[in-house]
Amino acid sequence: MDPGMNHLLKWSIENSEGTQNGPAGSSDSNVVPLSGHGVNAEALASLLGGPSDADLMKESMAAITSPEITMENKLIAFDNLEQLIETIDNANNMEPLGLWTPLISQLDSGEPDLRRMAAWCVGTAVQNNIKAQERLLALNAIPKLVKLAIEDVDETVRRKAIYALSSEIRNYQPATDAAVKVLPKEMVPERSVGAGDMEVIDGIMDNLRERSKQQQVT
């Protein structure tokens, strides 16, 4: 049984017993809140027939990629997706749900707002998440992010691309190595860059931000 449903069943049994054994008229005071038993929202939604997080993630991506959805609603869907994948379990569920490829494709969108939100979602998904970092590397998205961070005409897109790169390469050496290969040589030290060397990683990100500011001025 799903752990969340197990918690929900346990809560139901405990409070059913409390109601039966308590004095008349005092049942309300004996009920223990759901939150106190670690019942997750997805299990409760499943019991009540509501959409799961996985359903909401798929619906968000369907809206983002649909040609029939307005830009305003696409951005709302993107915002919903970004909030959902703040949870590491949901971020890790992106691969089995087939959401990584359409998300990465939005980095090439002709709409700056969609490129920005795609980079933002990428950064959120891979932050402190080795499984998502591995997936992003496998999809060869690092060169796309570097190009956005350096060349995109929109400053907000560049900023979110830098955020995504920063999240991807920290504490994950294969991604760090891949980024160093495509970053301008003047932005990285001549010596090897360790994924766990936060001072060096911060320096690279600062160089990217400085380049972005210069582009904004020109």
Side-chain angles (χ1 to χ4, degrees), residues 67-106:
E68 300 177 359
I69 301 297
T70 65
M71 180 58 62
E72 180 182 3
N73 286 329
K74 284 177 184 285
L75 295 178
I76 291 172
F78 246 137
D79 187 59
N80 291 338
L81 178 63
E82 194 275 333
Q83 292 183 55
L84 285 163
I85 60 178
E86 287 179 352
T87 304
I88 194 168
D89 288 341
N90 286 343
N92 288 338
N93 209 19
M94 288 175 63
E95 182 177 359
L97 292 176
L99 301 183
W100 270 113
T101 297
L103 176 60
I104 297 304
S105 70
Q106 292 299 309

Side-chain angles (χ1 to χ4, degrees), residues 92-175:
N92 288 338
N93 209 19
M94 288 175 63
E95 182 177 359
L97 292 176
L99 301 183
W100 270 113
T101 297
L103 176 60
I104 297 304
S105 70
Q106 292 299 309
L107 295 173
D108 296 319
S109 172
E111 294 289 341
D113 280 340
L114 296 183
R115 298 196 302 273
R116 171 178 58 84
M117 290 302 299
W120 192 356
C121 284
V122 166
T124 297
V126 301
Q127 191 170 49
N128 300 316
N129 185 345
I130 185 68
K131 185 174 180 180
Q133 288 172 295
E134 290 173 348
R135 188 59 188 156
L136 188 69
L137 179 65
L139 289 169
N140 197 34
I142 289 177
K144 287 180 182 286
L145 291 172
V146 169
K147 185 173 182 178
L148 289 178
I150 295 174
E151 301 179 10
D152 201 276
V153 297
D154 189 286
E155 188 269 337
T156 62
V157 175
R158 297 197 300 273
R159 192 188 320 149
K160 290 303 182 184
I162 293 170
Y163 160 67
L165 277 171
S166 179
S167 297
E168 170 65 4
I169 70 176
R170 290 178 189 274
N171 296 312
Y172 181 46
Q173 195 62 49

Side-chain angles (χ1 to χ4, degrees), residues 15 23 25-33:
N15 283 284
S26 64
S27 60
D28 286 348
S29 62
N30 293 329
V31 175
V32 179

